[in-house]
Amino acid sequence: MINLRAERLPVHRGPAAWSAILPDQAPPVRLDEDLAVDVAIVGGGFAGLSAARRLHEIDARTRIAVLEAGRLAEGASGRNSGFMIDLPHDLSSEDYAGKGVAADQKTIALNRAAIAFARSAVEEYGIDPAWFDPAGKINGAASTKAHELNRSYAAHLGHLGESSEMLDEKAMFAVTGSRHYLSGLYTPGTVMLQPAGYIRSVGAGLRKAGVHVFEESPVMRIARAGQGWELATQRGRVTAAKVILANNGHLESFGFKRGRLMHIFLYASMTVDLDRDTLSRLGGQPRWGITPSDPMGTTMRRIDGPQGGNRIVTRSCASFLPGMVPSEAALARTARVHRRKFADRFPSIADVPMEFSWAGHLCLSRNGVAVMRELEPGLFSACCDNGLGTVRSTLTGIGAADLVAGRASDISAHFLSEDEPTKLAPSPFAEIGANIYLKWREWQARRE
Ligand SMILES: Cc1cc2nc3c(=O)[nH]c(=O)nc-3n(C[C@H](O)[C@H](O)[C@H](O)COP(=O)(O)OP(=O)(O)OC[C@H]3O[C@@H](n4cnc5c(N)ncnc54)[C@H](O)[C@@H]3O)c2cc1C
């Protein structure tokens, strides 16, 4: 008899800023009755909502319930930087030929399939185009070493037949109003999301299509019930023939993949809505997104009115927290780092206050694999985002839905071919080692 209890529920530190800057939402619809469906989905982030949408697409008669612990977009899916990136960060095709090229091309094709899936949701549900902006992104370089990395990356891209454009210091200043960057590599395929706008709207679209989407309904227990499953929340129960766990790192909270998942928290801050005077001192374009050429560097993004105000988002710092709860002290420390990074880049507006600072939970595996498979008969998972969940979790959601529906697809085949997440060192060695490593990598990438 399988009876799984949630040992932990998500604990959020700092507000879900992307949601806070949007118009208020309607009150949450909670599960407060007993309900029977064909498929129950635990978690309403990129993975869970994509799974629901894909199941509905395959067969609109499938009865589906999504159970989300908090509000939609309150978790990591609404706490990220909103870069839906088509290209791999590190290209594996070092020899410009053979297996590496094929692997890179496969990753790009999968990522673009996720973007196409999201675009079709935007079109079908009439989502505000400002929340799904195919503007591309820039890989910023603040040192000659980073510039060289960008040049080598551009050469790899050329070999893969992918376009990119190198921007010099002047062009970077024209885009951002910052003299911090020596150069930047623009690639056109990234979509810039207003992540909360996107997630909230996909939830609303699914509801209109007849999918149950319950918020503030954490699943506390999952037990075998006959041929299917019963999921219990505080106020109601759902029985379902099949279940998809799309709760990312909280897969472990139900006892799966213990000692194999790394719980990493990333931190970000967002300025107040910039007034006209500040905007004229800043200059630059109203929307842009810069990823660091070293992944442990700082991501910067500027958004405008239709996206929730003229604001700048600074994302930097990471910590490994097996207990899945970031502290107030860590949030305060990282907010100070964000202030410093912001001032380095924008000295003319360094006095602008940050309105929001927050932490968000990622789930990584050491070998970079996801957990998308059937864990028990009828119990599936679409978890372990590896930090790039806007595309990867969209894909695991689609893949898990295909698996549930018995539809073989390239996406599900890709994840099914992956290995198990490799074991971590025992605690506390894993925690100490990983945090020292993260600090060292952050220090190395301090200018980026
Ligand atoms: C600061 C920051 C910046 C980032 N920037 C980017 C970026 O630019 N691009 C990118 O691709 N990725 C980025 N990420 C990562 C991205 O946010 C995640 O990869 C993505 O949110 C993962 O989606 P998911 O649906 O798999 O998981 P989640 O978004 O974590 O969703 C899982 C959901 O499950 C719910 N849940 C958990 N337990 C239960 C339960 N018992 N019952 C019901 N519900 C439950 C949670 O509340 C949560 O909403 C960033 C993350 C952070 C924190």
Side-chain angles (χ1 to χ4, degrees):
M1 170 74 184
I2 300 170
N3 189 358
L4 308 165
R5 287 181 184 278
E7 288 164 10
R8 294 193 186 97
L9 291 175
V11 175
H12 301 303
R13 197 65 74 196
W18 288 101
S19 232
I21 61 175
L22 291 180
D24 286 344
Q25 340 179 38
V29 180
R30 300 187 184 96
L31 178 77
D32 51 14
E33 58 178 354
D34 290 353
L35 186 73
V37 295
D38 300 308
V39 186
I41 298 171
V42 181
F46 285 95
L49 297 183
S50 301
R53 181 170 149 71
R54 177 70 181 140
L55 283 169
H56 183 75
E57 193 177 69
I58 292 171
D59 185 348
R61 293 164 306 176
T62 309
R63 296 168 305 158
I64 304 161
V66 178
L67 295 148
E68 165 54 44
R71 298 290 328 245
L72 290 184
E74 194 185 356
S77 288
R79 287 172 178 262
N80 52 69
S81 305
F83 291 67
M84 197 168 201
I85 304 175
D86 58 337
L87 301 171
H89 196 91
D90 286 314
L91 295 173
S92 48
S93 49
E94 273 176 13
D95 57 356
Y96 295 98
K99 221 173 146 200
V101 168
D104 291 335
Q105 281 168 338
K106 186 177 175 197
T107 305
I108 294 169
L110 284 170
N111 292 352
R112 288 190 178 148
I115 292 174
F117 182 82
R119 180 175 284 114
S120 73
V122 169
E123 284 161 8
E124 188 182 335
Y125 302 148
I127 297 176
D128 189 331
W131 300 348
F132 184 90
D133 182 8
K137 70 153 178 103
I138 300 170
N139 215 31
S143 63
T144 44
K145 188 177 157 213
H147 175 61
E148 284 313 313
L149 280 175
N150 263 347
R151 278 165 50 95
S152 142
Y153 189 79
H156 276 61
L157 287 179
H159 193 76
L160 290 168
E162 296 292 336
S163 64
S164 65
E165 185 190 347
M166 192 64 85
L167 307 178
D168 64 11
E169 202 171 345
K170 225 167 114 197
M172 287 299 281
F173 176 66
V175 172
T176 63
S178 169
R179 297 206 182 274
H180 183 78
Y181 299 100
L182 297 182
S183 68
L185 186 69
Y186 172 76
T187 48
T190 292
V191 170
M192 299 301 292
L193 298 175
Q194 202 305 1
Y198 173 79
I199 288 288
R200 277 162 54 164
S201 309
V202 172
L206 286 168
R207 275 193 186 120
K208 267 199 196 136
V211 173
H212 297 280
V213 180
F214 298 108
E215 296 174 87
E216 297 186 355
S217 302
V219 174
M220 314 299 292
R221 190 176 55 79
I222 303 173
R224 257 257 172 258
Q227 294 298 304
W229 296 90
E230 183 183 272
L231 290 77
T233 69
Q234 278 142 348
R235 295 193 189 81
R237 278 175 305 182
V238 172
T239 50
K242 290 178 181 165
V243 174
I244 299 175
L245 287 170
N247 52 348
N248 209 11
H250 282 280
L251 177 67
E252 189 180 314
S253 301
F254 285 104
F256 293 104
K257 309 297 167 200
R258 262 187 233 279
R260 292 175 185 269
L261 303 179
M262 291 192 277
H263 303 288
I264 303 286
F265 283 76
L266 296 186
Y267 302 83
S269 294
M270 185 187 272
T271 64
V272 294
D273 195 357
L274 306 178
D275 59 27
R276 210 185 288 173
D277 169 54
T278 310
L279 287 172
S280 68
R281 270 188 288 146
L282 170 64
Q285 293 174 6
R287 287 183 195 174
W288 45 259
I290 300 193
T291 46
S293 50
D294 183 318
M296 291 306 291
T298 302
T299 302
M300 302 294 299
R301 179 168 175 194
R302 179 167 162 192
I303 59 169
D304 66 2
Q307 297 172 318
N310 293 294
R311 300 168 186 271
I312 295 181
V313 184
T314 307
R315 200 276 316 142
S316 137
C317 303
S319 45
F320 175 52
L321 301 171
M324 305 188 197
V325 183
S327 67
E328 280 294 352
L331 190 60
R333 179 186 70 79
T334 54
R336 286 194 296 276
V337 175
H338 298 152
R339 276 232 61 89
R340 213 172 54 235
K341 302 274 182 196
F342 180 82
D344 287 349
R345 285 156 179 76
F346 303 104
S348 65
I349 58 163
D351 54 338
V352 165
M354 296 291 167
E355 187 171 353
F356 306 102
S357 292
W358 68 92
H361 184 176
L362 307 181
C363 176
L364 272 55
S365 59
R366 266 180 65 197
N367 49 344
V369 297
V371 185
M372 193 239 71
R373 53 190 64 248
E374 191 166 12
L375 300 168
E376 297 284 344
L379 179 65
F380 299 79
S381 71
C383 294
C384 194
D385 63 305
N386 283 295
L388 289 167
T390 61
V391 286
R392 303 306 280 176
S393 298
T394 298
L395 290 170
T396 53
I398 298 170
D402 286 344
L403 212 56
V404 163
R407 288 248 182 142
S409 71
D410 286 350
I411 296 175
S412 59
H414 168 77
F415 289 110
L416 288 174
S417 73
E418 288 187 331
D419 293 334
E420 275 272 287
T422 43
K423 275 193 182 154
L424 308 179
S427 190
F429 303 110
E431 189 175 356
I432 296 167
N435 281 311
I436 291 173
Y437 177 74
L438 287 172
K439 290 276 168 313
W440 177 65
R441 293 282 288 108
E442 273 168 23
W443 184 82
Q444 279 190 316
R446 63 196 178 283
R447 261 203 71 70
E448 302 304 327

